[in-house]
Amino acid sequence: MVCEKTSVSEFTSDGVTGVKIENVPLFDVNKIFDCGQCFRFDPVENSRHQAEFSGYALDKYISVAQDGECVYIYNTSIDEYESKWKSYLAADTDYGQINEDILSLSDNENLKSAVKKSSGIRILRQDGWEALCSFIISQNNNIPRIKKLIAALCAECDEDPEQTARLKENMGPHMSSVHKNLPGALSPFPSPERVKSLGTDVLLSLKFGFLAKYLYDTSCRVCDRYIDLESLYEEDTEKCVEQLCSLRGVGPKVASCTLLFGFGHLDAFPIDVWIKKVLEKYFDKTFSPSSLGRYAGVAQQYLFYYERYLDGDGRA
């Protein structure tokens, strides 16, 4: 929900400039960064805040923290928040209205419980190219391995490792233990041209296995304009899925994840093993994700999170 009382102010802590956003309802940093939608943020275990995650996004290393309904973003300014992070964090979106819309389209009690349990999740507006690569890499992998592979790719492509090494130090003393086993986590995500330049041999050396040919082929097709990523922001979701599925190694699930998390298609409904079980468990055979309307993808994330945490240990 976008709250009229929300206010934004700038602060400096340990030499780091940041912004504080007050009165932010329906926003839970733990749920947002632990629902499987992104792979470059990790928890700050010794944070001064109730919860904090740091990572690299949109060509910038930041840390997002929360105390109650106050959200803090380290390593940014008010101007940058307004132009970049407000949209990235979906802080400009009324999730109260989204929840009402979802619930108005279904009387399923389990969906109602999922919305209540998972409320606070917001769909990040990630870079489309990064989302496409990330979900290609996610195939047949668990989250720790996905993070490791992405970090290895970013480290290999880092053109200024010395500057990267200074990033965490400049973020303040409380960041010292974050990403300690993932040095590439501090590096920018490489462009399609940079991934293409690696070739399959380098990607194989980074332990991508069968995914190496998929990443290389995708980078070539994006560079050659076989597929226009910019058009995916505007076109119908079904047509976009069809376009993405023309890429090697991209099926409906990867395509839908890419569109939901990277291109703003909130109606995209990825179906993986977890969601297939959820649909079989809580819905009858006549159910269609399209019945949940323009926010079906948000509902999918609620159901995914809900089922994971009902399972007991909170792990996918």
Side-chain angles (χ1 to χ4, degrees), residues 3 6 12 20 33 92 129 147 155 185 191 240 267 271 289 302:
C3 181
T6 296
T12 301
K20 178 182 180 181
F33 291 106
D92 56 356
W129 162 247
K147 288 186 174 186
S191 67
C240 290
D267 60 330
I271 298 178
Y302 289 164

Side-chain angles (χ1 to χ4, degrees), residues 90-104:
D92 56 356
T93 303
D94 188 337
Y95 265 73
Q97 183 272 320
I98 287 177
N99 292 351
E100 289 177 8
D101 191 279
I102 292 169
L103 293 174
S104 72

Side-chain angles (χ1 to χ4, degrees), residues 145 203-204 206-213:
R145 178 161 168 75
L203 291 169
L204 285 168
L206 296 175
K207 311 298 183 185
F208 278 94
F210 74 93
L211 298 171
K213 62 180 180 291

Side-chain angles (χ1 to χ4, degrees), residues 58-312:
L58 306 183
D59 297 320
K60 188 79 178 282
Y61 184 67
I62 62 168
S63 198
V64 184
Q66 185 171 12
D67 292 318
E69 291 195 347
C70 290
V71 177
Y72 304 79
I73 308 173
Y74 289 85
N75 198 27
T76 194
S77 63
I78 289 180
D79 287 345
E80 193 173 65
Y81 168 74
E82 293 291 344
S83 65
K84 181 181 289 191
W85 305 120
K86 188 176 184 178
S87 174
Y88 177 79
L89 295 169
D92 56 356
T93 303
D94 188 337
Y95 265 73
Q97 183 272 320
I98 287 177
N99 292 351
E100 289 177 8
D101 191 279
I102 292 169
L103 293 174
S104 72
L105 296 172
S106 174
D107 58 3
N108 185 292
E109 291 299 324
N110 291 291
L111 178 59
K112 291 180 182 178
S113 296
V115 171
K116 182 178 180 180
K117 174 71 177 179
S118 307
S119 188
I121 291 176
R122 291 184 180 229
I123 304 299
L124 299 172
R125 296 190 180 102
Q126 301 176 62
D127 175 75
W129 162 247
E130 180 176 341
L132 174 57
C133 290
S134 297
F135 286 101
I136 288 175
I137 294 168
S138 74
Q139 298 176 83
N140 299 320
N141 276 319
N142 57 38
I143 289 178
R145 178 161 168 75
I146 297 166
K147 288 186 174 186
K148 186 175 181 180
L149 287 171
I150 292 174
L153 177 65
C154 295
E156 178 67 28
C157 296
D158 195 341
E159 296 178 354
D160 193 352
E162 290 186 4
Q163 178 179 338
T164 298
R166 293 193 295 269
L167 273 178
K168 191 162 62 175
E169 180 180 338
N170 293 340
M171 289 288 285
H174 76 296
M175 301 293 292
S176 60
S177 65
V178 190
H179 317 302
K180 57 185 176 183
N181 297 319
L182 289 174
L186 304 176
S187 303
F189 195 86
S191 67
E193 293 78 13
R194 187 70 181 95
V195 175
K196 180 181 177 181
S197 73
L198 296 180
T200 54
D201 287 344
V202 174
L203 291 169
L204 285 168
S205 74
L206 296 175
K207 311 298 183 185
F208 278 94
F210 74 93
L211 298 171
K213 62 180 180 291
Y214 296 157
L215 282 176
Y216 176 71
D217 188 68
T218 296
S219 66
C220 289
R221 290 179 174 237
V222 170
C223 290
D224 296 343
R225 304 288 290 184
Y226 169 86
I227 186 167
D228 179 13
L229 294 184
E230 289 302 314
S231 72
L232 298 179
Y233 289 100
E234 304 297 335
E235 292 188 14
D236 172 79
T237 298
E238 189 174 336
K239 290 182 179 179
C240 290
V241 169
E242 185 177 337
Q243 284 190 62
L244 286 172
C245 286
S246 69
L247 298 171
R248 292 180 67 190
V250 176
K253 183 254 182 177
V254 169
S256 295
C257 284
T258 300
L259 293 171
L260 176 60
F261 303 124
F263 291 91
H265 289 258
L266 297 185
D267 60 330
F269 194 96
I271 298 178
D272 60 5
V273 173
W274 273 94
I275 290 299
K276 188 176 291 187
K277 290 179 180 178
V278 167
L279 298 183
E280 291 174 352
K281 184 176 179 180
Y282 298 132
F283 297 87
D284 62 40
K285 293 181 179 180
T286 65
F287 172 78
S288 170
S290 63
S291 68
L292 295 177
R294 56 182 173 165
Y295 302 120
V298 180
Q300 188 266 14
Q301 277 294 278
Y302 289 164
L303 289 164
F304 177 70
Y305 183 89
Y306 176 67
E307 188 67 8
R308 284 177 69 198
Y309 282 81
L310 272 187
D311 193 55

